[in-house]
Amino acid sequence: GFGGGGFGGGGMPGGFGGMPGMGGHGHGHGQRQPERAPPAPKKKAEPIEQVLRLTLEEMFYGVTKNLKLTRTVLTGGRESRVAETLSIDVKPGWKRGTKITFPEKGDEAPGITAADIVFVVEEKKHPTFEREGNDLIKTVVVDLHEALLGHKIFVSTLDGKSINVDVPEIVGPRFEKKLIGEGMPLSKTPNAKGDMRIKFDIRFPKKLTDEQRQVLKTCLEESEY
């Protein structure tokens, strides 16, 4: 949350009123009264942006965040400091860059309309997953022989499911295995989800004997590329 000092602040009240209108050339005896200038419009303070850092889990399930602030308010021309709580309902599927605006929750000042407070969502780094749009990306380490000969991997999803994944394909550096519907919820249709994309970090042997080299050479030279 963000407590402590108030937000906003002000600038000078709006500019001077215009000059009173000049009288016409009529021959009447009475003098025309000058028109009264309308009051200058209040100037609005610039929006105040705050970062709202969320975990992937919070953006997956949704969460309510209560944030405390202290601000200056004017009552009958007198300034006072008040504490308020702003409540943000994080919806499943929200993304980095989502903005939530609380109108005129900055400091009040004479002749100034209080600033809007705008929270901008940022995503905390996750130990297992990266996010791309609605997809979750997980990188799995496999040995070279597994990449060439096929293997099974065991993955956990963000919502705690455990899935055994068969990978019979030859795994090259850009190969991805996709688990449909195991990504992030879509904010407009939370029942639909993106995918989990599994990427592979292939470990190569540190050394090979002459005999191993010859066997590999024979096998790989005859392979189809």
Side-chain angles (χ1 to χ4, degrees), residues 40 51 69 100 103-104 131 133 139 147 179 205:
V51 172
L69 72 89
I100 311 97
E104 298 179 17
R131 182 180 184 178
T139 300
L179 302 183

Side-chain angles (χ1 to χ4, degrees), residues 7-22:
F7 297 100
M12 295 294 291
F16 297 106
M19 291 295 288
M22 298 297 290

Side-chain angles (χ1 to χ4, degrees), residues 147-162:
L148 292 172
L149 304 175
H151 61 289
K152 291 182 187 294
I153 55 174
F154 177 81
V155 295
S156 297
T157 62
L158 191 60
D159 55 347
K161 293 196 295 286
S162 297

Side-chain angles (χ1 to χ4, degrees), residues 94-107:
W94 274 14
K95 291 186 173 81
R96 179 192 295 116
T98 299
K99 292 188 174 184
I100 311 97
T101 301
F102 290 89
E104 298 179 17
K105 284 294 182 182
D107 285 339

Side-chain angles (χ1 to χ4, degrees), residues 57-130:
E57 286 83 0
E58 289 171 331
M59 290 188 275
F60 184 92
Y61 292 108
V63 69
T64 299
K65 291 282 189 181
N66 293 313
L67 305 160
K68 297 188 187 312
L69 72 89
T70 307
R71 59 192 287 258
T72 300
V73 296
L74 294 177
T75 313
R78 286 188 165 187
E79 288 189 0
S80 58
R81 300 286 288 167
V82 296
E84 293 187 28
T85 300
L86 304 181
S87 189
I88 298 176
D89 251 351
V90 176
K91 305 294 185 203
W94 274 14
K95 291 186 173 81
R96 179 192 295 116
T98 299
K99 292 188 174 184
I100 311 97
T101 301
F102 290 89
E104 298 179 17
K105 284 294 182 182
D107 285 339
E108 294 178 359
I112 299 288
T113 299
D116 297 344
I117 294 182
V118 182
F119 289 92
V120 184
V121 170
E122 270 192 17
E123 185 184 297
K124 291 183 182 177
K125 187 173 173 60
H126 196 273
T128 306
F129 294 104
E130 293 176 59

